[in-house]
Amino acid sequence: MASLKDIRRRISSVKSTRQITRAMKLVAAAKLRRAQEAIVSARPYAYRIYAILLGLAEKGASHPLLEVREEKHVKLVILAGDRGLCGSFNASIMKAAQKFIDERKALGQEVSAEFIGKKAFEYFKSDFTDAPYHKGLLGDARYQSVSEVALGVMNGYAEGKFDAIYLVYNEFKSAISQKVTVERFIPVGVEIPDAVKKFRAEAKESLIEPIYEPSREAILMEIVPRHFKTQLYRAVLESVASEHGARMSAMESATKNASEMIDQLTLQYNKARQAGITKELMEIVGGVEAMR
């Protein structure tokens, strides 16, 4: 049985840990609030431009980045976090990415990777030694920096280096819920988000046929690059908000577990202390009886 000194040391250690996890929870909650506001603000524009692009493409306008090719060489852009202590946030991304890579290789396809987030780079760097890694992008996610990444990916597709570009990231649902999403980034995927379908339905219900000035092709040439930059920026914001939400939940659970452990250790300490007092009393009583 542990001594009273050892139990006191453990209680003190767990209390210190609880203070850290509680502080980390508060920091994550503050960051989550800002990240949630950013993604809620970005979604309507991202979905609206997606709907406009689909409308133009359906009317016969074409663009090199919308060309669908046989997928022989694909690229996977993996969005994970820069830090840990966020539950299964990073592990779920790695699992989904590894599954995608294994499935594509089983089909005889060549797979390349690109990393946004330190954890993704560290996990896959031995498999993709020359893969691009965008360090520090998540710390201050700005449209300009993300658009540069998107531009590089678009150029790779336009030059024929890849037949398709896919994204894997955590889509933000709520502070306690994130959804691992694997979607085709370039060209536009066959699975259209529900929000985009809603925008398109509202446009059809208006019964107003738009007049394009200049031509549909000229507008599409401007919208397509903007669309892919916006969608990657939205995915980055989704990932950032999901990471803060996952870390807040993980630290809340850790704080709760620490409090429960302190209660158990305190009970153990009191029992051990009471047992020591009882033993001392028994020795005193025994000594008195022996002296009579």
Side-chain angles (χ1 to χ4, degrees), residues 275-292:
I277 294 173
T278 303
K279 181 180 179 182
E280 290 178 1
L281 288 175
M282 293 296 293
E283 290 175 352
I284 293 172
V285 171
V288 171
E289 291 294 331
M291 292 176 62
R292 288 181 179 179

Side-chain angles (χ1 to χ4, degrees), residues 36-239:
Q36 188 171 358
E37 291 174 355
I39 186 57
V40 169
S41 300
R43 279 174 177 169
Y45 177 76
Y47 292 144
R48 178 70 74 178
I49 197 172
Y50 199 147
I52 293 173
L53 183 146
L54 291 175
L56 288 169
E58 287 180 355
K59 293 182 181 297
S62 60
H63 191 281
L65 292 177
L66 300 180
E67 177 189 353
V68 179
R69 303 194 287 257
E70 182 183 356
E71 296 183 5
K72 296 180 180 179
H73 188 180
V74 300
K75 167 170 275 193
L76 181 64
V77 181
I78 307 172
L79 280 75
D82 284 333
R83 298 185 295 134
L85 297 177
C86 49
S88 61
F89 172 82
N90 289 312
S92 59
I93 288 292
M94 309 312 170
K95 182 178 179 181
Q98 190 63 61
K99 180 181 177 182
F100 177 90
I101 294 168
D102 294 341
E103 289 176 349
R104 292 308 175 114
K105 287 185 176 180
L107 295 174
Q109 299 176 1
E110 185 179 351
V111 181
S112 299
E114 192 160 339
F115 308 114
I116 298 176
K118 183 179 178 181
K119 292 298 180 180
F121 171 71
E122 290 179 344
Y123 187 88
F124 288 106
K125 64 181 179 181
S126 59
D127 297 327
F128 302 97
T129 53
D130 298 326
Y133 165 44
H134 305 285
K135 184 178 180 181
L137 187 67
L138 300 176
D140 186 18
R142 296 179 180 274
Y143 178 81
Q144 184 61 37
S145 55
V146 175
S147 64
E148 292 176 1
V149 177
L151 184 61
V153 173
M154 288 187 289
N155 289 338
Y157 183 83
E159 294 169 3
K161 295 180 180 179
F162 313 106
D163 301 312
I165 316 292
Y166 286 82
L167 295 179
V168 55
Y169 63 96
N170 269 302
E171 183 181 0
F172 180 76
K173 295 296 184 181
S174 68
I176 60 174
S177 176
Q178 304 86 35
K179 178 185 177 183
V180 177
T181 302
V182 180
E183 65 181 35
R184 193 170 72 184
F185 180 49
I186 304 175
V188 174
V190 292
E191 295 184 3
I192 302 173
D194 293 336
V196 176
K197 294 179 181 178
K198 181 180 178 182
F199 280 127
R200 301 194 68 199
E202 292 174 353
K204 290 180 180 179
E205 289 176 358
S206 66
L207 301 177
I208 298 176
E209 181 65 23
I211 299 174
Y212 298 97
E213 180 65 34
S215 64
R216 294 191 184 96
E217 288 74 13
I219 296 174
L220 199 64
M221 291 297 291
E222 177 67 27
I223 283 183
V224 168
R226 188 183 299 271
H227 161 77
F228 289 120
K229 292 177 182 179
T230 301
Q231 299 309 322
L232 183 59
Y233 181 59
R234 179 188 62 81
V236 169
L237 293 181
E238 297 271 10
S239 181

Side-chain angles (χ1 to χ4, degrees), residues 209-277:
E209 181 65 23
I211 299 174
Y212 298 97
E213 180 65 34
S215 64
R216 294 191 184 96
E217 288 74 13
I219 296 174
L220 199 64
M221 291 297 291
E222 177 67 27
I223 283 183
V224 168
R226 188 183 299 271
H227 161 77
F228 289 120
K229 292 177 182 179
T230 301
Q231 299 309 322
L232 183 59
Y233 181 59
R234 179 188 62 81
V236 169
L237 293 181
E238 297 271 10
S239 181
V240 170
S242 296
E243 181 182 359
H244 292 318
R247 181 169 291 110
M248 186 185 74
S249 298
M251 292 302 100
E252 183 177 5
S253 297
T255 302
K256 181 180 178 182
N257 293 337
S259 296
E260 292 177 355
M261 183 176 291
I262 290 172
D263 292 339
Q264 293 174 0
L265 290 172
T266 301
L267 180 61
Q268 183 181 348
Y269 176 82
N270 291 335
K271 286 182 177 180
R273 182 169 175 271
Q274 186 63 46
I277 294 173

